[in-house]
Amino acid sequence: MKINELTREEVFRTLVTSETGLSEDEAGRRLAEFGPNAITAARKRPLWLRFLGQFTHFLAVLLWTAAGLSFLSEYLHPGEGMYTLGFAIFGVIVINAVFTFIQEYRAEKALEALKKLLPFHVTVCRGGRERELPAEEVVPGDIVRIAEGDKVPADLRLLEANDLRANNASLTGESEPLLRETKPSSGDPINSPNIAFAGTTIVNGSGSGVVYATGMRTEFGRIAQLTGTVTPGLSPLQKEIVKATRLVAAIAAAVGLFFFAIGFFIGRSFWDNFIFGVGITVALIPEGMLPTVTLALAMGSQRMAKRNALIKTLTSVETLGSVSVICTDKTGTLTQNRMEVKEAAGLGKMSGSTRERLFTVALHCNNTKEVNGELKGEPTEMALYRAAREVPGTKPGKRVREFPFDPDRKRMSTVTEMNSSTFVLAKGAPESVLAVCTHAREDGGSVPFDEALKQEATRLFHALMDKGLRVLAFAEREVRTGEDVANKETAEQAMVFVGFIGLEDPPRPEVPGALRKCREAGVRIIMITGDASRTAVAIAREIGLVTREPVVVEGAEFTRLSDQDLRNVLAKPEVLFTRMTPKYKLRVVNTLKDQGERVAVTGDGVNDAPALKRADIGIAMGITGTDVAKESADMVLLDDNFATIVNAIEEGRGVYENIKKFITYIFASNIPEAVPYLAYILFRIPLPLTIMQILAVDLGTDMLPALALGSEKPTPGVMKLPPRKPDERLIGLALISRAYLFLGMIEAVACMFGFFWMLRTGGWAWGTDLPGTDPLYLQATTACLTAIIVTQMANVFACRSLRESIFTIGWTTNRLIFLGLAVELGLQLFIVYHPWGHAVFSTAPLPFSAWLVLIPFAAALLLAEETRKFAVRRMAGR
C-alpha cells in the first residue's frame, strides 16, 4: 500500500518508528544507510573536468595544432626560433582557459549564495525529546514538527494537522494554499492531503509528521533527477564559433598546403617550404580571437549583472541576443507578486453599511496574524486584511470556530462573536459562496436571492474577472439563539450574500514598455500561467501583451492537443496558455525548438527545471525561484522582473554585434600577415615578416583595441531589428569580403610598401639575398610590422560600425578605444626602439621618416571605408 493510504499505526510499523521518534543510535545508523537529506545536482561535471574542457573545444584544438607544428619545426630544424612561437601559442590557450573557467566558477559561486531552498534547522522528536537539527541530518522515521512559515525538510506523512495549510507551488505550480489533514487517503500521494512534500512551505497552522523519504528519494529529488536527463545542447554562439574556426582552419590548411606544393615546384628546399607552410598557417589562424571573444562575453556578463541578470555561462550572454520567443510566467515576472484589493462591488448601489459589512467579513473570515507589527499569512488574505483595516466602521470580533478552506467546498467560514451576537462569516470562490446564499444585500437592505439576482451577481463577478482581478465572494448570517453551528453543514446555510472583492497582482510598471520593445525587436511573448483564462486575458490586455483576440488554451485542452495541433496553435501571433502546470512547459519548449525558434523560458518551481534546461536560455527567478530551477537555468533574474530579460536581450544583441566588429578587425590583419609570405615564396624576396612579428600583432598590439570594440554599447536601433535567422553565420561572406578583400588588402599594400621603401632607401637591389641579422633587413621587417600597426589603429575606428559613419557615431563615444590605441602604440614603440623588443621580435629602430611614409595609408583606409559605408547607406535608402 502507498504511504498515504496507511493508518497512523500502520505508518509507524512500516517505517519502524514510534510517536516518540527514533533513538539517536538508530538515527545515526539510518543516516549512514540513506545518506544526507540533500538535493544533489544531477550530472554535474567535476571541476577538474570542466577546467580541462576549456582546452578541448575546437578553437583550442586548432591552436594546439599550431603550437605542435611550431615545436615540431624547431625539433626537426633547430635555430629558427619556432619554439618561442609554440610557447606563445601555448600561453594563449592556458590564459584563455583559466580566464573562462574563473568567470564561470565565480558565477556559479554567486548562484550558490542564492540557495536557500531547504531550511537550515528543523525541530525533530528523538527518544521522546524535541531538539533542533540541521535539515541534512533528518532520516526516514524521524518525527518532525512544522509550523507556519517553515519549509518542509523532507516528504512527511502527517500525524497532526492543526489548521495546517501548505503552499505546493514549488512542486506543482499551484499557488493556492492546500488544507492538510491526517486521515488515510487513497490515490496518488502527490494529490494526497495527508502528505507534506520537501521544499514546500507551511503558510498556516502547525502539525507534525513522520519522514518517509529524504534527499533524492523525495518527490522534489525525483524531479531534480529528471532534470539531469535533459540535454541542453550547444549554444548558438558555440555552434557559430565551431563553424567559424573550422572554416578558418580549412582556409589556413588549404593555403599552407597549396603554397607548400608550389614551393617544391619552383625549387625551394623542404625546410624553406615547411617554415613557410607553418608561417602562412599561423598567419591565417586568428590566435587573438579566442581570448577576445572570452573577454567580450565576460564584459557583457558584468554589464548584465549590473542590470540584475546573473549569467552562469559566458556563451549565454550572446545566446540571449538570438532569442525569438520568450515563454513567461505571469505572477512575479509580469506582475509584482503583491496582491492588493482593487475593487469592491455588490448588488445595486453599495451603501456605506454594506461596504462596512463586506469588509468586516473580510477582516474576520481571515487567518492573517500580526506578529511584532508585521503581517503573517497567505498573500491574498493579507491583502484583504490590510484593506479591511483601512475601512472605517468595521466591527471588532472574536473567533469562536473555523471551518477551513478546502478544494471541494472552495470556501472557508468562521463563527465569530460581534457586538453580543454570533455570526457565520464566509468567503470563497463566487460560485461556491453564491450556492449557499438564500438572501442578498441590495441597496443596504436584505432581499431574497432569486434567480434574477443570481444572474446579476454572476454578470458582476464575470465583469470583475474581465478586468484581470481575482474575485472572492463574501456572505454572512446571524446565528439564532440555541442554533447548532458546530459543523460546516449546518453553519453554512441560508447565508446572506454581501458582495465581491476583486484583488489584483499589479503589473510591473516597466512591463508594458518592455513588451513594446520586444514587439519592435520581433520577439514573441507567450504567457504560460496557472490563472483562469478571463483573468489571464485581462492582464495580457492591460500590459499590452495582446492587442486582438488571442488564442487561449487551457490546461485540460492542452493535454488533448496532438503535436500537429500544438504546432498550429504556436504558429498563431498571440497565444496564452492558462490553467497550466509547469510540467507542460517542456512540451511547449520542445515544439518551439523543433520549429526553429530560439527559446527563452522563465520558471521558479522544481517542475520548471526540465524546461529551463532544455530551452536555449533558461531564466530562473532569483527571489522566488527554487534551488533546482536556479541550478538548471542559464541566467538568474535577481529582481524577478520581466523588463530585466528584455534588457539582457538588448545586451546580448549588442555583444553579438561587437563580436562581429572585432572579428572583422582581427581578420583584417591576417591578410597583411599572409601576403608577405606569398611574396616570399613567389618572388624570391627576403621574408618581409617573421612569425614572431605576426604573434606580436595577433597576441599583443591587436588585443586591447579588439577588446575595446567588444565593449561598444548596443547601437540605438538594435532592438528595432528582428532576431537574426538561425542560418545566419557569425562569419559570413560579407564579413570575410570586408575583412580580407577590402580592409586587409589596403593594409597589405601598406605593409609591402613599407618593407620595400625601407629596403630601397638602404640601397637594396632586387634579387640580393639578405641574412636574417642584416641591419637593413631588420629595419625592413620592422617597417612592414609598423605598417600593419599604423593601419590597424585606423581600422579600429572603421570597424566600430558596419554602415554608420564614424562622424555619426562620434570619435570619442568609446573612450576604451583610446586606451587600447595608447597601449598598442606603446607596445610598438617598445618593439621598435627597446633592446628587449629587438631581441624577442628581431626588429631594429626606424627613422621618423618611415612613420611619416606609413601614416597616409591609415588615412587612406579610413577614407576608403567611409566611402564604402556611404555607398551602402545610399543603396539601402533606395
Side-chain angles (χ1 to χ4, degrees), residues 358 361 411-412 426-434 461 471-475 497-501:
L358 176 62
V361 178
R411 62 179 179 268
M412 73 167 286
K427 81 165 187 291
E431 61 274 18
S432 170
V433 173
L434 296 180
F461 85 74
V471 182
L472 296 175
F474 297 81
F497 169 63
V498 183
F500 298 113
I501 294 179

Side-chain angles (χ1 to χ4, degrees), residues 160-211:
E160 298 177 24
N162 303 312
D163 190 21
L164 189 69
R165 290 181 177 82
N167 186 332
N168 287 356
S170 64
L171 193 66
T172 65
E174 299 294 335
S175 60
E176 187 69 39
L178 300 175
L179 182 68
R180 305 284 86 182
E181 57 186 37
T182 60
K183 62 184 179 182
S185 173
S186 60
D188 192 333
I190 196 74
N191 298 317
S192 178
N194 61 17
I195 302 292
F197 294 101
T200 61
T201 307
I202 304 302
V203 297
N204 193 77
S206 61
S208 66
V210 58
V211 175

Side-chain angles (χ1 to χ4, degrees), residues 414-456:
T414 61
V415 179
T416 305
E417 292 179 353
M418 293 185 292
N419 295 340
S420 303
S421 298
T422 302
F423 291 84
V424 177
L425 312 176
K427 81 165 187 291
E431 61 274 18
S432 170
V433 173
L434 296 180
V436 296
C437 292
T438 58
H439 288 73
R441 295 224 162 257
E442 184 180 31
D443 299 328
S446 178
V447 298
F449 196 37
D450 58 23
E451 194 60 35
L453 285 179
K454 287 181 180 180
Q455 289 181 4
E456 183 182 340

Side-chain angles (χ1 to χ4, degrees), residues 474-760:
F474 297 81
E476 64 170 9
R477 76 176 179 89
E478 187 172 354
V479 178
R480 297 185 301 275
T481 303
E483 183 181 355
D484 179 18
V485 287
N487 60 72
K488 56 180 177 283
E489 288 76 16
T490 58
E492 296 173 347
Q493 60 178 343
M495 302 291 288
V496 180
F497 169 63
V498 183
F500 298 113
I501 294 179
L503 299 101
E504 179 186 46
D505 183 2
R508 292 181 179 270
E510 313 91 346
V511 165
L515 290 172
R516 282 194 300 274
K517 219 171 185 180
C518 282
R519 194 170 289 113
E520 291 172 352
V523 179
R524 290 178 62 206
I525 311 297
I526 297 175
M527 181 194 289
I528 302 178
T529 179
D531 278 343
S533 297
R534 284 178 178 269
T535 302
V537 171
I539 288 289
R541 290 195 192 284
E542 182 179 353
I543 61 179
L545 179 58
V546 298
T547 56
R548 60 191 86 172
E549 284 302 317
V551 175
V552 181
V553 180
E554 290 201 347
E557 180 186 353
F558 180 86
T559 59
R560 297 193 296 268
L561 290 177
S562 67
D563 290 345
Q564 184 57 50
D565 290 337
L566 181 56
R567 284 192 288 270
N568 293 339
V569 166
L570 290 170
K572 305 294 182 183
E574 294 181 348
V575 182
L576 302 179
F577 291 98
T578 63
R579 296 296 189 197
M580 294 279 280
T581 58
K583 62 184 178 182
Y584 298 146
K585 280 186 181 179
L586 183 58
R587 186 183 174 200
V588 174
V589 171
N590 283 329
T591 304
L592 286 167
K593 292 191 72 170
D594 289 344
Q595 292 178 313
E597 304 285 0
R598 287 178 173 171
V599 187
V601 175
T602 68
D604 55 8
V606 181
N607 267 1
D608 289 322
L612 290 172
K613 193 166 185 180
R614 179 70 179 114
D616 293 295
I617 284 287
I619 304 171
M621 304 297 110
I623 298 174
T624 59
T626 59
D627 182 38
V628 175
K630 293 172 188 173
E631 187 72 38
S632 304
D634 303 288
M635 181 174 91
V636 179
L637 293 186
L638 302 181
D639 58 358
D640 289 11
N641 193 340
F642 180 83
T644 301
I645 302 174
V646 182
N647 292 337
I649 288 175
E650 184 176 14
E651 286 285 354
R653 289 190 176 189
V655 166
Y656 186 78
E657 271 191 338
N658 292 345
I659 290 174
K660 296 191 81 166
K661 290 173 187 176
F662 65 65
I663 285 179
T664 303
Y665 174 78
I666 290 170
F667 276 25
S669 65
N670 288 159
I671 296 302
E673 293 168 353
V675 165
Y677 280 83
L678 301 182
Y680 163 73
I681 198 74
L682 294 176
F683 304 118
R684 293 181 174 273
I685 62 172
L687 183 62
L689 196 69
T690 68
I691 292 176
M692 283 306 297
Q693 289 168 352
I694 291 174
L695 266 291
V697 176
D698 290 354
L699 302 178
T701 58
D702 268 3
M703 289 294 289
L704 269 182
L707 182 58
L709 287 173
S711 70
E712 289 274 349
K713 293 179 180 178
T715 55
V718 73
M719 289 299 281
K720 297 186 184 298
L721 300 172
R724 69 176 187 274
K725 297 177 181 178
D727 59 353
E728 180 184 327
R729 300 279 72 88
L730 177 65
I731 302 177
L733 182 61
L735 187 150
I736 290 177
S737 299
R738 183 185 176 206
Y740 282 176
L741 304 180
F742 186 71
L743 298 170
M745 285 301 182
I746 296 172
E747 293 190 16
V749 170
C751 76
M752 294 307 296
F753 179 88
F755 178 72
F756 284 118
W757 181 87
M758 185 56 66
L759 287 178
R760 191 71 176 174

Side-chain angles (χ1 to χ4, degrees), residues 831 834-843:
I831 291 169
H834 197 282
W836 290 358
H838 300 163
V840 174
F841 297 102
S842 302
T843 55

